[in-house]
């Protein structure tokens, strides 16, 4: 389940700048995202939008429940107001220096450098991102807050019940809880969003951060409503016979371990709380620069398909080097090593070589023989490691475990020389290795694996087929699975795109 965050000041402002409505703009962006998800072969049971009627209804209902349970406060406070634009500013439209780490591009709600949750008045030298001027004053206005202070004991108990969380998730969350939680505003003085359902909050909307994560629930409700099973969503949100996994970047950790669970607890409905938080570190651009579309730093996913129209290249690179324990920096050299060196040279060539040998030596039939038992043990070991890594929320080690089998396969073929004489066991063992590799690769590079399935005569194999031995089965014709990338030409194309 996932979806497009359709609300907030950024959409409202950008729509104004483009001479359109926030609704039209958010719908257009949502359509584009869905198109790119399909092109990148990323599958959701339901990829929705926070503009859906189901989401609006659910957000309204849960905030009424939270309010009725005493977890909503109304506080008159000073909020950032731009004297040039004559409007209250959402936190994300204020940029200044972080008071904690000194990062100059901290936003009014969070510093992406150190991860601190902030309020606009804490920023040093705040600047309005609409007019780019420092004409910000703080005017009194009443807003409604989620009482995280009151929720803190329950959130501490929740966090302490998950010792298995990854270090980055655990450390981030423990740091926030140690610092002490404060009430956090859930309403804003803007027009575009879900109307706040609190008495006296007419004209205000629920702040985008305060309703976006609730979309996990509403997306599930919407999915089963479309299937004509309107009560089945509860199977995934109540009780213990369910495991929830959330995947995001590290800047979203506090929203998934503190704020979203806090909302669910405050509703009093007994929701199942998030189990696994698989949060990656950052992928930065060459020179450790942060990606920025406005400053033309980095490759974005719509640009990526203009550079290379097969998403297999990008999927493999991003998952092979997924930054799970530390920030990493994109380099063309790493892209070359991962895609050309590992996927194409080590794996693609091995698959082609073994299938071609089987075609020449045994008439494109899996030979009648036994698979080398030591190799079978190595395949089992890799399969176990692969499953453990994915279950723990680490995708890169799982992918690397699969690719390491290609090293085993290439060494085995080279040492045993199946092109010499009659060696059916060597060919069958080689076929068993490449079969295991391409099945393990399918979640990462599905098109690549499906092409290989045609060569190996596999139909919708499962993980258990990795160790299944099938002598006598007919093979398909050998083919090149993926052409190599001319990285030098790719860099030149990127430079031209950036200049344009």
């Amino acid at each position: 389940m996932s979806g497009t965050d359709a609300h907030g000041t950024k959409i409202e402002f950008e729509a104004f700048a483009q001479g359109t409505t926030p609704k039209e703009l958010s719908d257009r962006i949502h359509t584009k995202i869905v198109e790119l998800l399909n092109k990148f072969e990323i599958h959701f049971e339901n990829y929705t939008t926070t503009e859906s009627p189901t989401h609006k209804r659910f957000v309204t209902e849960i905030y009424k429940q939270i309010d009725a349970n005493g977890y909503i406060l109304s506080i008159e406070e000073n909020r950032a107001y731009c004297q040039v634009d004559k409007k209250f500013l959402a936190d994300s439209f204020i940029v200044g220096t972080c008071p904690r780490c000194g990062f100059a591009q901290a936003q009014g709600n969070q510093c992406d450098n150190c991860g601190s949750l902030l309020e606009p008045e804490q920023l040093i030298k705040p600047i309005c991102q609409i007019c780019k001027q420092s004409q910000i004053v703080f005017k009194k206005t009443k807003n409604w807050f989620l009482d995280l202070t009151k929720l803190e004991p329950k959130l501490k108990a929740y966090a302490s019940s998950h010792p298995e969380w990854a270090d980055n998730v655990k450390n981030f969350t423990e740091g926030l809880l140690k610092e002490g939680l404060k009430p956090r505003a859930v309403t804003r003085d803007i027009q575009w969003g879900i109307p706040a359902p609190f008495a006296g909050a007419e004209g205000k909307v629920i702040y985008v951060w305060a309703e976006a994560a609730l979309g996990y629930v509403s997306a599930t409700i919407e999915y089963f409503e479309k299937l004509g099973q309107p009560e089945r969503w509860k199977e995934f949100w109540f009780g213990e016979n369910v495991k929830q996994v959330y995947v995001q970047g590290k800047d979203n950790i506090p929203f998934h371990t503190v704020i979203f669970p806090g909302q669910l607890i405050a509703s009093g409905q007994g929701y199942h709380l998030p189990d696994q938080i698989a949060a990656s570190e950052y992928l930065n651009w060459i020179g450790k620069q942060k990606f920025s579309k406005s400053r033309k730093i980095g490759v974005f996913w719509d640009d990526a398909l203009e550079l290379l129209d097969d998403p297999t290249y990008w999927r493999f690179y991003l998952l092979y080097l997924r930054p799970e324990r530390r920030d990493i920096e994109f380099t063309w050299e790493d892209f070359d090593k991962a895609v050309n060196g590992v996927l194409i040279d080590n794996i693609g060539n091995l698959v082609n070589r073994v299938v071609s040998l089987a075609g020449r030596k045994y008439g494109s039939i899996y030979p009648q023989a036994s698979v080398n038992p030591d190799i079978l043990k190595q395949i089992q070991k890799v399969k176990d490691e692969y499953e453990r890594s994915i279950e723990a929320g680490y995708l890169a080690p799982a992918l690397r475990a699969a690719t390491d089998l290609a090293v085993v396969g290439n060494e085995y073929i080279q040492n045993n020389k199946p092109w010499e004489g009659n060696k059916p066991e060597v060919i069958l063992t080689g076929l068993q290795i490449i079969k295991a590799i391409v099945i393990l690769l399918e979640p990462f590079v599905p098109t690549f694996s499906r092409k290989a399935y045609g060569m190996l005569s596999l139909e919708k194999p499962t993980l258990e087929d990795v160790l299944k031995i099938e002598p006598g089965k007919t093979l398909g014709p050998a083919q090149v699975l993926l052409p190599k990338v001319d990285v030098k030409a790719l860099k030149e194309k990127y430079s031209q795109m950036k200049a344009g």
Side-chain angles (χ1 to χ4, degrees):
M1 299 293 143
S2 192
T4 302
D5 297 343
H7 301 130
T9 306
K10 287 187 178 182
I11 291 287
E12 190 176 66
F13 172 69
E14 188 62 30
F16 172 78
Q18 293 185 22
T20 186
T21 65
K23 170 69 174 167
E24 190 282 329
L25 178 61
S26 64
D27 285 351
R28 178 159 29 103
I29 291 170
H30 176 69
T31 300
K32 180 67 173 176
I33 291 171
V34 170
E35 176 190 319
L36 287 166
L37 286 169
N38 290 332
K39 286 181 177 178
F40 270 88
E41 300 181 287
I42 299 169
H43 173 70
F44 291 95
E45 260 66 39
N46 187 25
Y47 186 87
T48 183
T49 165
T50 56
E51 256 297 275
S52 80
T54 303
H55 179 72
K56 292 177 180 178
R57 184 181 73 239
F58 176 73
V59 169
T60 300
E61 287 173 359
I62 197 168
Y63 269 111
K64 285 180 178 178
Q65 293 163 349
I66 293 169
D67 189 20
N69 290 332
Y71 288 103
I72 296 293
L73 306 171
S74 63
I75 302 174
E76 192 172 67
E77 56 169 353
N78 289 320
R79 297 302 303 175
Y81 183 86
C82 179
Q83 298 180 97
V84 176
D85 297 299
K86 300 194 183 308
K87 66 193 301 179
F88 285 100
L89 298 174
D91 297 346
S92 59
F93 258 76
I94 308 164
V95 169
T97 300
C98 175
R100 308 262 168 79
C101 71
F103 181 57
Q105 294 295 312
Q107 292 188 332
N109 60 348
Q110 186 175 17
C111 175
D112 285 343
N113 188 56
C114 70
S116 295
L117 296 177
L118 301 171
E119 294 294 340
E121 61 269 22
Q122 294 177 279
L123 291 178
I124 300 165
K125 297 180 181 177
I127 294 172
C128 170
Q129 290 299 285
I130 299 173
C131 64
K132 306 296 182 184
Q133 295 188 46
S134 188
Q135 296 293 316
I136 294 174
V137 295
F138 290 86
K139 291 180 65 172
K140 283 198 178 298
T141 184
K142 184 185 279 188
N143 271 304
W144 279 254
F145 288 68
L146 178 63
D147 193 350
L148 290 174
T149 306
K150 190 174 179 180
L151 284 163
E152 188 172 319
K154 292 180 179 179
L155 287 169
K156 280 183 175 177
Y158 159 66
S160 65
S161 71
H162 286 286
E164 79 285 358
W165 279 351
D167 287 344
N168 62 348
V169 175
K170 203 182 301 180
N171 294 340
F172 240 100
T173 307
E174 287 176 357
L176 289 170
L177 293 169
K178 188 176 180 181
E179 191 177 295
L181 301 179
K182 297 175 183 176
R184 194 159 171 83
V186 297
T187 62
R188 277 294 179 263
D189 294 282
I190 60 175
Q191 285 75 50
W192 176 238
I194 299 172
F198 315 122
E202 294 78 13
K204 296 179 187 283
V205 301
I206 298 295
Y207 196 15
V208 60
W209 73 260
E211 48 106 342
L214 295 170
Y216 294 122
V217 188
S218 64
T220 316
I221 295 171
E222 182 183 67
Y223 174 68
F224 284 111
E225 284 178 345
K226 288 178 179 177
L227 291 180
Q229 302 170 6
E231 295 300 308
R232 270 204 69 199
W233 72 274
K234 294 176 182 176
E235 294 176 22
F236 296 87
W237 285 101
F238 296 95
E240 295 307 311
N241 189 30
V242 60
K243 180 181 179 182
Q244 296 179 353
V245 181
Y246 296 79
V247 184
Q248 71 275 307
K250 64 181 175 182
D251 53 326
N252 271 316
I253 290 172
F255 296 99
H256 289 77
T257 63
V258 174
I259 291 167
F260 179 47
Q263 293 168 315
L264 297 178
I265 291 168
S267 74
Q269 301 302 300
Y271 282 100
H272 185 100
L273 302 180
D275 296 302
Q276 186 174 349
I277 313 296
S280 71
E281 300 292 305
Y282 289 148
L283 170 67
N284 294 316
W285 190 244
I286 298 163
K288 297 183 179 178
Q289 302 175 91
K290 289 192 178 296
F291 277 64
S292 170
K293 203 150 197 174
S294 61
R295 291 184 288 139
K296 298 185 178 180
I297 295 172
V299 171
F300 291 80
W301 64 336
D302 47 353
D303 303 328
L305 293 179
E306 288 185 38
L307 290 169
L308 286 168
D309 61 3
D310 188 336
T312 300
Y313 299 106
W314 301 110
R315 287 180 63 108
F316 186 82
Y317 166 80
L318 290 167
L319 292 164
Y320 188 74
L321 290 165
R322 186 172 186 256
E324 294 173 336
R325 298 190 185 276
R326 60 179 176 83
D327 292 356
I328 70 162
E329 176 186 343
F330 175 88
T331 67
W332 293 109
E333 292 75 19
D334 284 344
F335 181 84
D336 186 22
K337 288 175 186 174
V339 172
N340 286 331
V342 178
L343 181 60
I344 297 172
D345 286 346
N346 285 4
I347 298 172
N349 288 350
L350 175 65
V351 174
N352 191 289
R353 186 183 191 189
V354 173
V355 173
S356 295
L357 279 168
R360 290 200 307 271
K361 303 285 288 186
Y362 297 99
S364 293
I365 300 288
Y366 283 76
Q368 294 288 346
S370 300
V371 173
N372 183 292
D374 291 333
I375 294 293
L376 273 180
K377 286 177 185 175
Q378 288 194 60
I379 293 172
Q380 179 68 64
K381 184 179 177 182
V382 165
K383 177 178 177 286
D384 292 343
E385 182 184 344
Y386 175 95
E387 291 185 80
R388 275 195 307 271
S389 294
I390 290 176
E391 288 295 335
Y394 294 108
L395 302 182
L399 177 54
R400 286 171 181 264
T403 61
D404 285 347
L405 267 182
V407 177
V408 173
N410 279 308
E411 288 179 354
Y412 179 80
I413 294 297
Q414 202 60 35
N415 292 339
N416 288 279
K417 300 180 173 58
W419 51 89
E420 295 178 357
N422 182 29
K423 299 178 180 178
E425 179 184 297
V426 176
I427 293 291
L428 185 63
T429 300
L431 289 168
Q432 194 70 33
I433 293 169
I434 62 173
K435 182 172 83 166
I437 292 168
V438 298
I439 291 173
L440 296 175
L441 285 183
E442 186 184 353
F444 300 92
V445 281
T447 296
F448 182 91
S449 287
R450 284 194 292 268
K451 284 183 181 176
Y453 291 166
M455 295 165 68
L456 295 167
S457 296
L458 300 174
E459 290 188 22
K460 297 181 179 179
T462 68
L463 200 52
E464 298 314 308
D465 289 317
V466 162
L467 291 158
K468 189 177 178 182
I469 301 168
E470 300 179 283
K473 191 173 182 178
T474 302
L475 291 162
Q479 61 174 307
V480 174
L481 291 172
L482 196 67
K484 290 191 81 164
V485 178
D486 184 338
V487 175
K488 184 179 178 182
L490 189 65
K491 286 169 68 175
E492 289 172 1
K493 190 175 179 182
Y494 168 73
S495 296
Q496 292 168 5
M497 179 187 287
K498 185 178 175 182

